[in-house]
Structures are given as structure tokens and as C-alpha cells.
Amino acid sequence: MRAFPGVMPLIMSESRTVAVTLGDPTGIGPEIVLKALQDPGRARQCVVLGDAATLESTADALGLGLPARVIPVGLPPGPGFQPGEPSARSGEAAYRAVLAATDMVNSGDAQAIATAPLAKAQMQAAGHAYPGHTELLAHRAGDCPVRMMLASPRLRVVLVTIHLPLRQAIDALQREQIVQTLVIADAGLRRMGITQPRFAVAGLNPHAGEAGLFGREEIEIIGPAVRDAQALGIDTIGPLAPDTVFMRAMGNQWVDAVIALYHDQGLIPVKLDGLDQAVNVTLGLPYLRTSPDHGTAFDIAGQGIADPRSMIAAIDLAIGRHGLEHG
């Protein structure tokens, strides 16, 4: 496999420390973290944050070694966690691991965060009203504007809106919001070593509106936003027909990322390209944050069959072990 054009080479810093959170302890997080950290070189650069008892029981059940550096998160007394049985308490454990990880990067004890999946419903049941990891991390970083980027083997996608119902996402679409997404994406890709990022902005409606026949968002919102970004020196084109832009971008070198307007518009092509290797990157934070591009998979938790490749890719990107690759 060959690297994306302009992506920095393999080793960025052997001294970089990554805070790795276990996610919801009743999901597959403990299993995929343990599997990922069986590699000694990877484990040396990681500190694991989460429920230590769950990590130990998972390691015993799978016959895996424990990482050398584990920091437990304090929880009120209660029963142990059972695979596939999420609760408000498991949501609290996942939440506290994220807080501990952000404390580490704020203090300089870690330079990046890699998060195993948490369950939004359980975190909210524990009293923490965040739609997901991204919003929680942004709040902890001073409510800085952030965007979610998903990178599969052949495609990068940056989302304008994230965890909103579709009707709300369309209603929330604003010219300034698209421009801000392009500014954050441009800075984020430059930080990753892409010296002149190029973007394609997807349209919202069929055929990108067909000159207003199928909707006017492309004429009144998206097109003007693209021109605003171009005036700022950002190399971008669009809006382009959403049913072909991802296919055209996949594996080609004419753009470095596609700007998608809402959650599923961007995530469906990324997951089709390679869910087992895709990485979620939060752009706009003062540190690098990555995660696997899948959820807690409660239905297979505790069975020893969870695929760790996306977690491995997320940790490797966080430690600077390699750049994102093209197929």
C-alpha cells in the first residue's frame, strides 16, 4: 500500500504518549484495546484509562497480557461489569475515562488520545448530556469548534454536522458553518503533513440541486460557502453531486478529503470502503484524538471475536506510527 500524497512518514515521535480510554466496559472496548496493545512497541507509548477490574478479567478470559501502564478510574462501589449488559454505571466509567484522558493531555503527560467506543445512551443515563465523544472533548477543550473526520483506506470525509436528526441537520445547514468546516479541515490536514489540502464539497440534494430544480440549498448556501472558502485561499470545489463525489474521490488524488453535509452522507461511503480499518479523527482540538470507526458492539462483547484492526489503526495514527494510507 502507498501513502496518501503529502502525509508525513512513519515515526513522528518515539516519546509521544497516548492516553487510551477503554470506552464502555461492557462493550468490546476492553477486548480491542488489549488486542491492540499486545504489540510491545505500541504498548510502550500508551497509557490505558478505565475500569482496571474489567481489563484484568478480559485479559484472563482471552489469555492476553496486561499493558504495563494502566490507570483505573474511580467509581462508586457497585457490581462488576458484565459483557453485553450496559448500564448507567458503565456509562459513568466511560465518561470518567475520557475526563482522565483530557486531564493527561492538558497536563502534558500525554500528547494524544485514542478512545475505544462508548455508548451515548449510557453516558447520558449517567447524567452527562453529550451527544458523543466529539462534543464532550470539544467542551473539555474550551468549547472550541471541532469537526469529525473519518478516514478509510481510500477516502477521507469531514462532516459539517454530526449527531443531529436528519431534519435538524438540514435545517441547521448554514453558509458560515460550511466555511468554518473547510477552515478547520484545511488546518487539520496541514497539521497531518498535507501541505496543500484539496477539498470537494458534496451537495445536499439529488444532482446537487439540478440548478434549483431539486432544491435551492446548493445555490443559496453551499455554493456561496465554497466561494467564501476559495477567497480565504482554501483549495476547494463544489457543490458536487453527492451520489458520485465519494466514488470519484475514493482512491484518487484529485482531492484529499470530501466535505459531507450530514452524518450518514459521509459515514456510509467510509464504512463501505473499510469499516475494519477506518479511523475517526477529531479536527480542531489542541491535540490529536483518534478512535475506531465503529461502536460498542454489545452483541459480541465477551466472546473474544472482536476485530481490533480499527483500534490498532487509531492508536498507530495517534502515536505517529504511520500516516493514513491509500489502497
Side-chain angles (χ1 to χ4, degrees):
M1 299 180 75
R2 54 187 174 83
F4 273 130
V7 173
M8 297 183 73
L10 301 187
I11 301 297
M12 292 175 65
S13 173
E14 283 292 346
S15 62
R16 178 180 292 184
T17 297
V18 177
V20 180
T21 65
L22 281 187
D24 193 296
T26 67
I28 62 171
E31 178 181 341
I32 59 176
V33 168
L34 282 170
K35 288 178 175 178
L37 297 186
Q38 294 308 295
D39 176 87
R42 187 178 296 120
R44 273 196 301 272
Q45 291 187 247
C46 295
V47 177
V48 180
L49 306 167
D51 183 64
T54 298
L55 198 66
E56 291 173 6
S57 63
T58 304
D60 289 344
L62 299 177
L64 298 175
L66 283 167
R69 295 191 288 176
V70 178
I71 299 177
V73 293
L75 284 171
F81 296 111
Q82 299 302 315
E85 298 181 13
S87 63
R89 190 165 182 269
S90 70
E92 180 67 25
Y95 173 77
R96 293 192 184 193
V98 175
L99 297 193
T102 57
D103 287 343
M104 285 192 69
V105 292
N106 289 339
S107 68
D109 292 329
Q111 290 72 50
I113 296 175
T115 59
L118 57 71
K120 302 170 182 64
Q122 271 62 54
M123 182 172 69
Q124 293 180 13
H128 310 294
Y130 297 97
H133 264 125
T134 302
E135 295 84 358
L136 170 56
L137 292 166
H139 177 68
R140 293 283 290 176
D143 293 317
C144 60
V146 297
R147 293 296 187 273
M148 179 188 292
M149 181 176 80
L150 286 302
S152 61
R154 297 181 296 165
L155 182 66
R156 293 189 189 95
V157 174
V158 182
L159 304 180
V160 176
T161 62
I162 306 177
H163 299 120
L164 289 175
L166 182 56
R167 287 186 185 277
Q168 290 183 24
I170 294 171
D171 291 341
L173 198 61
Q174 298 177 358
R175 175 174 173 174
E176 297 79 8
Q177 188 182 31
I178 298 170
V179 175
Q180 185 182 62
T181 301
L182 282 158
V183 169
I184 292 171
D186 185 71
L189 265 62
R190 289 178 187 274
R191 192 173 294 119
M192 292 173 60
I194 301 175
T195 56
Q196 294 180 318
R198 299 156 299 172
F199 301 96
V201 179
L204 176 68
N205 298 296
H207 304 179
E210 194 74 55
L213 182 63
F214 302 141
R216 296 193 57 82
E217 287 85 359
E218 285 78 9
I219 295 172
E220 298 174 358
I221 300 173
I222 306 166
V226 169
R227 292 190 289 275
D228 290 346
Q230 290 170 339
L232 295 173
I234 296 173
D235 188 349
T236 185
I237 58 173
L240 302 179
D243 61 346
T244 58
V245 64
F246 300 100
M247 176 188 66
R248 291 172 59 195
M250 196 172 290
N252 293 324
Q253 297 183 13
W254 67 286
V255 294
D256 295 295
V258 176
I259 306 299
L261 303 179
Y262 57 91
H263 186 277
D264 284 10
Q265 184 186 56
L267 266 64
I268 289 171
V270 167
K271 293 186 177 184
L272 282 171
D273 185 45
L275 177 62
D276 55 359
Q277 299 176 58
V279 177
N280 179 346
V281 183
T282 304
L283 303 178
L285 293 170
Y287 53 85
L288 179 60
R289 178 262 173 162
T290 66
S291 72
D293 184 25
H294 58 69
T296 50
F298 292 123
D299 57 322
I300 63 168
Q303 298 179 34
I305 60 174
D307 188 336
R309 283 180 292 177
S310 186
M311 189 77 227
I312 289 170
I315 293 173
D316 282 351
L317 180 57
I319 66 178
R321 210 172 196 189
H322 63 68
L324 300 172
E325 293 180 339
H326 235 323

